[in-house]
Amino acid sequence: MSTVKFLLPEDRIPTAWYNIQADLKEGAAPARHPGTHQPLGPDDLAPLFPMALIMQEVSRDQQIEIPEEVREAYRQWRPTPLYRARQLEKALDTPAKIYYKYEGVSPTGSHKPNTAVPQVFYNKQEGIKRLTTETGAGQWGSSLAMAGSMFGVEVEVYMVRASYDLKPYRRGMMETFGASVIPSPSDRTDAGKAILADAPDSPGSLGIAISEAVEMAVKDPGAHYALGSVLNHVMVHQSVIGLEALEQMEMTGDYPDVIVGATGGGSNFAGIAFPFIGRKLRGERDVRVVAVEPAACPSITKGSFAYDYGDTAHLTPLLKMHTLGSTFIPPSIHAGGLRYHGMSPLVSHLHNINVIEATNYNQMETFTAGIQFAKAEGIIPAPEANHAVVGAITEALRAKEEGTEKTILFNLCGHGHFDMQSYLDFMAGKLHAYEYPESEIAMALAGLPGVQD
Amino acid sequence: MSTVKFLLPEDRIPTAWYNIQADLKEGAAPARHPGTHQPLGPDDLAPLFPMALIMQEVSRDQQIEIPEEVREAYRQWRPTPLYRARQLEKALDTPAKIYYKYEGVSPTGSHKPNTAVPQVFYNKQEGIKRLTTETGAGQWGSSLAMAGSMFGVEVEVYMVRASYDLKPYRRGMMETFGASVIPSPSDRTDAGKAILADAPDSPGSLGIAISEAVEMAVKDPGAHYALGSVLNHVMVHQSVIGLEALEQMEMTGDYPDVIVGATGGGSNFAGIAFPFIGRKLRGERDVRVVAVEPAACPSITKGSFAYDYGDTAHLTPLLKMHTLGSTFIPPSIHAGGLRYHGMSPLVSHLHNINVIEATNYNQMETFTAGIQFAKAEGIIPAPEANHAVVGAITEALRAKEEGTEKTILFNLCGHGHFDMQSYLDFMAGKLHAYEYPESEIAMALAGLPGVQD
């Protein structure tokens, strides 16, 4: 019994986000036009995003001021707690100290509102009345719906049909907040119609849903599109996690030797890690950083580092990133938030220049770790967060083997209250490991557009 | 955008619980033996509870020290935030100030761990290896399972079969924490067998599940029973909510004119209200207090104030309380945590001596209010909590009519992340109001044991 919580007072919510692009000698490669393959200018993105976000996308400023209205909304759940996982340490019998930042206290139970709130705010400021987006498991969609309801902006969510049918509760949450939720592929868009013509029973995918949401935003001058991960401005917003954690680690008297985060599109990982990586890049303090991805969707560890589309219909800009190919459909692991073929260009770049490491675990390993964590610490992690948990446990066991007193920090990006079916299935022996789907990935990679720097 | 959160520092977690029995001229009537009908002595309860809890049950001390191990476990999620509902005030266009204490930040998403933790702690101290309990919707069962896993005490939960079959997610949570969950009625107990003999397909009820859990605890000398509401010691533990709220209201510069809480067994209501009622009883500061119950299960507003059993098989002590009769089976409203025929003897007593008021709302009214709250404040309340929300909104609208600047405080006892099906059903027009089931209640009341003071 000695969970220890480190809480910041409310006036310590950061006043500025941290932008890692300021500390990179060479920035990430620019986004390119899906048709011309030329580097994008701000105007190319204007049909999709407000100018404030486009400017953040390319900014090299280290500090980006957080608008007062956004800080006020953040106060609903921020600062989030940092915990020392003493019970887990005891269960592992490790000399390592394990800390975790917990983002599950937000109203939707994950880190997603950190960027949903500013995205809605900047759009509202530019007079936008309606936002379109996609969602898989629904963490992002429900967060954008919540932010939309707070600021009075309409939200339209294209939800992967398989999730729409099988996981109605996140949909219920979005609808409770007043959002419209449309199963994707739908007959509202050309992209959706094309898919349905070929496969009337298509279960959909994140790539298809993105195509639909983008298409709808482009067609309506009063609407914009919002993306919950991958893009630079999302990484900027999520830096509040790590900025708070920096201060909280100071309260503990420790400093992380290693930081672990789960990676799907990269945003919760960037959130916890980038402010610490900034200190590393500036030569102030070294730290190992490990990105953990699912073995079923291993974009960093098994993908190519190349220009690729973000969606299936190839409507989005080309991004230079670790990718498994935009046609790759990951096995249906329960960590729906990590089932994306691409990776944040900034996270990809950091891996490419050897600033961060990456590893992957299969689904069985992640749930085993998640249950061990829940029993020790009392919090049931989201399946996505279990990837960070297994990574942290691995580091702690290694410290035990080596007899070193390592300090480990990880991001527990959300709770699993919407994901209990996956725990039931795991305990009933119904889950699959879903190791690296080698041939499907090879096939998808063969279809990369082949755009050079 | 002006949600305002009032947070206490961690060292302000109370060091002692508040016991309202100290401030009552005449205490609540004593519990009586189910067979002899004589007032119970401590030894009569020893097969069910550890002596520390039995002593709390009858204590007249105003302060009951919180063991350091319990405070340490509380630190996982306490102190919980107090919010000013500025967006809701704006939506209602009311001059009233609305504050709410939010217990949904606990690891299981409700106020139940406040008493689950000390109950497990005191049992463990007395060498108990196993606890039995019942659960309806599962908020209590999952909280006891979590506390059991934290302290290494085995937990066995008898879960009402209808919930076991229809709501597997709370069961998944209990099993993730390592608890055994048995659908009730079961063939493990005489009480369960008797029911199954008559009705093999019985959907069960809270009253039946209590009978089974009590029977199993009595049969095993290494086991005890735990109850999540109704009893005095539970009200004592939940006082942490109101003690924190007293300090937080001081931070706001306001003091509640009226406090609103949802009542099922009475514990979340007692938690927020008793410390304020104590001040009222001691003549320090007046306050109106309103208990809100479901129209489908209106024990205070429509029941008798009489001695009754807590369970169906009549194994529990007789309690003097507001009751709808121990054979009454409430309509299946979604606020499963409020579907209990009886009411805390202390809450009942306070109503009987006119210290508190009570009112009821039907299910449609509570969900309408809950959705209005969610859209304004970003948090989706549990169906139980919606009863407090509708009560608070009613007070705020009355203040608007009267043009008075009233301060309202209510307890948002849990989030609705496990209850999205009920929101989906409500939005799809599938819910029923379930007004006062008059004839069923009359029949159940006719079967009261008729024990006099």
Side-chain angles (χ1 to χ4, degrees):
Chain A
M1 286 321 317
S2 3
T3 305
V4 180
K5 183 173 61 171
F6 299 89
L7 265 190
L8 288 174
E10 216 165 296
D11 57 9
R12 298 305 304 153
I13 292 175
T15 52
W17 291 298
Y18 167 68
N19 177 19
I20 201 167
Q21 297 193 78
D23 289 319
L24 289 168
K25 278 193 201 109
E26 202 180 330
R32 287 171 183 265
H33 192 281
T36 66
H37 297 184
Q38 291 308 303
L40 285 183
D43 289 348
D44 293 313
L45 292 169
L48 293 181
F49 304 110
M51 206 41 74
L53 291 179
I54 295 171
M55 289 297 118
Q56 289 178 10
E57 193 63 20
V58 295
S59 170
R60 303 288 305 237
D61 296 341
Q62 197 190 62
Q63 313 276 325
I64 294 177
E65 198 193 330
I66 305 180
E68 193 41 46
E69 294 88 338
V70 172
R71 288 189 78 221
E72 218 171 301
Y74 276 175
R75 292 178 70 193
Q76 209 280 341
W77 72 96
R78 306 210 69 85
T80 61
L82 177 88
Y83 290 100
R84 167 101 182 253
R86 283 192 189 272
Q87 287 301 105
L88 181 63
E89 292 169 14
K90 217 164 106 186
L92 299 171
D93 188 24
T94 175
K97 295 177 183 172
I98 308 176
Y99 292 93
Y100 60 98
K101 180 80 169 159
Y102 183 41
E103 292 291 306
V105 294
S106 87
T108 56
S110 81
H111 64 293
K112 293 291 186 187
N114 295 334
T115 184
V117 165
Q119 289 196 45
V120 170
F121 169 77
Y122 289 119
N123 274 291
K124 165 109 179 174
Q125 251 198 343
E126 214 173 82
I128 289 296
K129 302 260 180 285
R130 189 165 137 259
L131 282 172
T132 66
T133 196
E134 73 291 328
T135 204
Q139 295 194 333
W140 165 243
S142 57
S143 300
L144 195 71
M146 182 206 75
S149 128
M150 285 171 115
F151 286 91
V153 171
E154 220 180 291
V155 172
E156 186 174 300
V157 185
Y158 289 83
M159 186 174 192
V160 175
R161 178 172 278 283
S163 300
Y164 183 93
D165 290 339
L166 290 174
K167 300 185 171 178
Y169 295 158
R170 283 272 178 193
R171 168 166 70 83
M173 195 175 201
M174 292 183 257
E175 290 175 351
T176 299
F177 288 128
S180 328
V181 186
I182 301 112
S184 165
S186 78
D187 58 7
R188 295 199 182 186
T189 65
D190 296 338
K193 280 180 207 158
I195 300 281
L196 290 172
D198 275 354
D201 294 330
S202 166
S205 75
L206 219 39
I208 296 168
I210 293 176
S211 296
E212 292 206 278
V214 166
E215 185 182 326
M216 290 301 281
V218 170
K219 279 180 180 164
D220 174 357
H224 269 164
Y225 166 73
L227 187 65
S229 189
V230 180
L231 298 179
N232 302 349
H233 66 266
V234 179
M235 309 297 134
V236 165
H237 301 158
Q238 293 293 358
S239 70
V240 287
I241 303 172
L243 290 168
E244 288 178 7
L246 264 173
E247 283 207 51
Q248 287 164 311
M249 286 307 303
E250 215 163 288
M251 294 165 72
T252 70
D254 292 314
Y255 194 87
D257 297 300
V258 56
I259 298 175
V260 179
T263 44
S267 79
N268 95 76
F269 169 81
I272 187 86
F274 279 11
F276 290 89
I277 295 177
R279 299 200 64 199
K280 177 176 176 161
L281 292 170
R282 297 192 299 273
E284 291 166 22
R285 180 94 191 220
D286 199 22
V287 65
R288 270 184 65 220
V289 181
V290 183
V292 180
E293 48 186 20
C297 192
S299 57
I300 311 179
T301 47
K302 301 284 188 179
S304 291
F305 184 51
Y307 271 103
D308 196 8
Y309 300 97
D311 70 325
T312 305
H314 297 178
L315 302 176
T316 72
L318 289 160
L319 300 174
K320 176 91 178 276
M321 59 184 176
H322 283 98
T323 178
L324 299 164
S326 67
T327 58
F328 173 63
I329 307 225
S332 40
I333 52 169
H334 280 279
L338 309 184
R339 289 182 68 234
Y340 187 63
H341 69 276
M343 177 52 58
S344 146
L346 284 170
V347 173
S348 299
H349 178 63
L350 287 168
H351 187 263
N352 194 50
I353 61 176
N354 297 314
V355 171
I356 64 169
E357 306 165 27
T359 182
N360 68 62
Y361 294 91
N362 73 45
Q363 181 162 254
M364 306 304 278
E365 294 167 321
T366 63
F367 275 92
T368 303
I371 288 181
Q372 183 168 30
F373 180 85
K375 283 187 175 158
E377 296 291 314
I379 299 173
I380 300 183
E384 291 83 3
N386 282 342
H387 290 73
V389 173
V390 68
I393 288 178
T394 305
E395 293 290 337
L397 292 176
R398 195 172 299 153
K400 181 179 171 181
E401 252 172 54
E402 294 166 356
T404 55
E405 214 197 66
K406 193 159 51 173
T407 295
I408 301 163
L409 169 65
F410 74 96
N411 192 26
L412 193 72
C413 60
H415 67 56
H417 294 182
F418 283 95
D419 305 285
M420 292 317 301
Q421 190 61 52
S422 60
Y423 280 88
L424 284 166
D425 289 349
F426 175 74
M427 291 186 286
K430 289 185 197 161
L431 288 202
H432 302 285
Y434 287 127
E435 293 284 357
Y436 177 45
E438 199 166 349
S439 57
E440 290 88 336
I441 290 175
M443 207 165 6
L445 287 177
L448 284 182
V451 176
Q452 300 303 317
D453 285 307
Chain B
M1 284 322 317
S2 6
T3 306
V4 180
K5 183 173 64 172
F6 299 89
L7 265 190
L8 288 174
E10 215 167 297
D11 58 8
R12 299 305 305 155
I13 292 175
T15 52
W17 291 299
Y18 167 69
N19 176 18
I20 201 167
Q21 296 192 78
D23 289 319
L24 288 168
K25 279 194 199 109
E26 201 180 328
R32 288 171 182 264
H33 190 282
T36 67
H37 298 184
Q38 291 309 302
L40 285 183
D43 289 349
D44 294 312
L45 291 169
L48 293 181
F49 304 110
M51 206 41 75
L53 291 179
I54 295 170
M55 289 298 119
Q56 288 178 12
E57 193 62 21
V58 295
S59 169
R60 304 290 302 240
D61 296 341
Q62 197 190 63
Q63 313 277 325
I64 295 178
E65 198 193 330
I66 305 180
E68 192 41 46
E69 292 88 338
V70 172
R71 288 188 79 221
E72 219 172 300
Y74 276 175
R75 292 178 70 195
Q76 208 282 342
W77 72 96
R78 306 209 69 85
T80 62
L82 177 88
Y83 289 101
R84 168 100 182 255
R86 282 192 189 271
Q87 288 301 105
L88 180 63
E89 292 169 14
K90 217 164 105 185
L92 298 170
D93 187 26
T94 174
K97 295 177 184 172
I98 308 176
Y99 291 93
Y100 60 99
K101 180 80 168 160
Y102 183 41
E103 292 291 307
V105 294
S106 86
T108 55
S110 81
H111 65 293
K112 294 291 185 186
N114 295 334
T115 184
V117 164
Q119 289 195 44
V120 170
F121 169 78
Y122 288 120
N123 274 292
K124 166 109 180 175
Q125 250 199 342
E126 214 173 81
I128 289 295
K129 303 259 180 285
R130 190 165 137 258
L131 282 172
T132 67
T133 196
E134 72 291 327
T135 203
Q139 294 194 335
W140 165 243
S142 57
S143 299
L144 196 70
M146 182 206 74
S149 129
M150 284 171 114
F151 286 93
V153 171
E154 218 179 292
V155 172
E156 186 174 300
V157 185
Y158 289 83
M159 185 172 192
V160 175
R161 177 171 279 283
S163 299
Y164 183 93
D165 290 339
L166 290 174
K167 300 185 172 178
Y169 296 157
R170 282 272 178 195
R171 168 166 70 82
M173 196 173 200
M174 292 183 256
E175 290 175 350
T176 299
F177 287 128
S180 326
V181 186
I182 301 111
S184 164
S186 78
D187 58 7
R188 296 198 181 188
T189 65
D190 296 338
K193 280 180 206 158
I195 300 281
L196 290 172
D198 275 356
D201 295 329
S202 167
S205 76
L206 219 40
I208 296 169
I210 293 176
S211 296
E212 292 207 277
V214 166
E215 184 183 327
M216 289 302 280
V218 170
K219 279 180 180 166
D220 174 357
H224 269 163
Y225 166 73
L227 187 65
S229 191
V230 181
L231 298 179
N232 301 349
H233 66 266
V234 179
M235 308 298 135
V236 166
H237 302 158
Q238 292 294 357
S239 70
V240 288
I241 303 172
L243 290 169
E244 288 178 7
L246 265 172
E247 283 206 51
Q248 286 165 312
M249 285 307 302
E250 214 162 291
M251 292 165 74
T252 70
D254 292 315
Y255 194 87
D257 297 301
V258 56
I259 297 175
V260 179
T263 44
S267 79
N268 95 76
F269 169 82
I272 187 87
F274 279 12
F276 290 88
I277 295 177
R279 299 200 64 199
K280 176 175 178 163
L281 292 170
R282 296 192 300 272
E284 291 165 22
R285 180 94 191 220
D286 199 22
V287 64
R288 268 183 67 219
V289 181
V290 182
V292 180
E293 48 187 19
C297 192
S299 57
I300 311 180
T301 46
K302 300 285 189 177
S304 292
F305 184 51
Y307 271 103
D308 196 8
Y309 300 95
D311 70 326
T312 304
H314 297 178
L315 301 175
T316 72
L318 289 160
L319 300 174
K320 177 89 180 276
M321 57 185 176
H322 283 98
T323 176
L324 300 164
S326 66
T327 57
F328 173 63
I329 306 227
S332 42
I333 53 168
H334 280 279
L338 308 184
R339 289 182 68 233
Y340 187 63
H341 68 275
M343 178 51 59
S344 146
L346 283 170
V347 173
S348 298
H349 179 63
L350 287 168
H351 187 262
N352 194 49
I353 61 175
N354 297 314
V355 172
I356 64 169
E357 306 166 25
T359 182
N360 67 62
Y361 294 91
N362 73 44
Q363 181 162 254
M364 305 304 278
E365 294 167 321
T366 63
F367 275 92
T368 302
I371 289 181
Q372 183 167 31
F373 179 85
K375 282 187 174 157
E377 296 292 314
I379 299 174
I380 300 183
E384 292 82 2
N386 282 342
H387 290 74
V389 173
V390 69
I393 288 178
T394 305
E395 293 291 336
L397 292 176
R398 195 172 301 154
K400 181 178 169 181
E401 254 173 54
E402 295 166 355
T404 55
E405 214 198 68
K406 193 158 54 173
T407 296
I408 301 163
L409 168 66
F410 74 96
N411 192 27
L412 193 72
C413 60
H415 67 57
H417 293 181
F418 283 96
D419 306 285
M420 293 316 303
Q421 189 61 51
S422 60
Y423 280 88
L424 284 166
D425 288 350
F426 175 73
M427 290 185 287
K430 290 185 195 161
L431 289 201
H432 303 285
Y434 286 127
E435 293 284 357
Y436 177 44
E438 197 165 351
S439 58
E440 290 89 336
I441 290 175
M443 207 167 5
L445 287 176
L448 283 181
V451 175
Q452 300 304 317
D453 287 306

